[in-house]
Amino acid sequence: MRVVIVDDDQLVALSLKTILEANEEISVVGTGNDGTAAIDLYERKRPDILLMDIQMKPMSGLAAAEQILKTDRDAKILFLTTFSDDEYIVKALDLGAKGYILKQDFEGILPALQAVQRGQSVFGGEIVSRIPVLMQSKSEFDYAFYDIGEKEREIIALVGKGKSNREIADELFLSEGTVRNYISTILEKLSLRDRTQLAVFYLTKVC
């Protein structure tokens, strides 16, 4: 797994590099200290995952992610930050980032990278606890307008709660292939790009 690390604290970036490379499956191919460096490193190194802080100057991680994802919609960006602000969480995921974990959740960084590499979206434990707050005061979404059926609604909710295709299949007594087909249909109906955007849709638009 080839990883680029970008953090405005150079000591943090280098420390993460040392720690992650203690695992034989990870190679840190570059480190940087702001959003501009993140864009440059991503273009030159094309890492499997970009592990990046959010609050950086002169360019933030969010601004960098927006530019990167405009040119490469398949970029895997995992935000690592000390801030659990609701606005940051929603913005990061709305852009298409694959996850948002807190630096305090240090032991979860490696499993988070592995999950993102497998194509999953990742939320740190404290981030998951914010979901009820993000869901407050939402008006009821008009599923009928988009021809979204009951089974599709169940799948949307489970994706929004971070369930994998296998977990959804087990819970709804379906095959993984059927779940994948459902998700593809849902994405097409809602004009969404991937399951990360579907999770954001659930968190921000559904009661």
Side-chain angles (χ1 to χ4, degrees):
M1 185 194 311
R2 299 172 69 255
V3 178
V4 162
I5 300 171
V6 179
D7 193 291
D8 62 350
D9 187 326
Q10 187 174 10
L11 181 59
V12 169
L14 293 176
S15 296
L16 284 171
K17 179 180 187 296
T18 299
I19 293 166
L20 291 177
E21 287 193 325
N23 186 297
E24 294 182 354
E25 70 178 85
I26 295 180
S27 173
V28 177
V29 296
T31 62
N33 303 117
D34 77 334
T36 303
I39 294 170
D40 175 65
L41 285 166
Y42 186 83
E43 290 178 348
R44 289 192 294 108
K45 302 293 186 179
R46 292 291 166 173
D48 296 310
I49 301 175
L50 172 57
L51 180 63
M52 179 164 57
D53 196 0
I54 283 185
Q55 282 205 340
M56 300 183 290
K57 294 180 180 181
M59 177 182 281
S60 72
L62 291 173
E66 185 170 15
Q67 288 199 29
I68 291 168
L69 288 162
K70 279 181 179 178
T71 58
D72 182 4
R73 61 185 298 174
D74 296 321
K76 293 179 179 178
I77 299 175
L78 177 61
F79 282 112
L80 177 66
T81 180
T82 56
F83 300 93
S84 59
D85 184 273
D86 293 347
E87 183 178 352
Y88 287 152
I89 297 169
V90 173
K91 177 65 173 176
L93 298 178
D94 190 44
L95 286 172
K98 298 303 182 185
Y100 187 117
I101 58 175
L102 298 181
K103 291 180 181 178
Q104 296 92 312
D105 186 20
F106 189 79
E107 293 182 353
I109 296 175
L110 178 57
L113 288 169
Q114 293 168 330
V116 170
Q117 177 74 347
R118 293 193 298 267
Q120 299 176 14
S121 298
V122 177
F123 304 87
E126 186 173 332
I127 303 305
V128 171
S129 72
R130 304 294 294 169
I131 290 177
V133 176
L134 294 173
M135 292 176 62
Q136 286 178 358
S137 303
K138 306 287 189 304
S139 59
E140 187 170 356
F141 184 77
D142 186 3
Y143 280 113
F145 180 81
Y146 292 90
D147 192 28
I148 302 290
E150 185 62 33
K151 184 65 68 177
E152 290 170 321
R153 291 179 63 168
E154 291 181 84
I155 290 173
I156 290 170
L158 291 170
V159 170
K161 293 172 183 176
K163 300 287 187 179
S164 68
N165 286 354
R166 177 74 267 165
E167 291 169 328
I168 294 172
D170 290 344
E171 186 160 337
L172 299 182
F173 304 102
L174 301 170
S175 70
E176 280 192 76
T178 298
V179 171
R180 283 194 297 269
N181 290 337
Y182 265 117
I183 292 176
S184 294
T185 300
I186 292 166
L187 294 175
E188 183 176 354
K189 288 180 178 180
L190 295 174
S191 299
L192 299 175
R193 185 175 65 210
D194 53 31
R195 63 186 296 131
T196 298
Q197 288 196 339
L198 183 57
V200 174
F201 160 82
Y202 177 75
L203 295 176
T204 59
K205 289 186 167 51
V206 179
C207 284

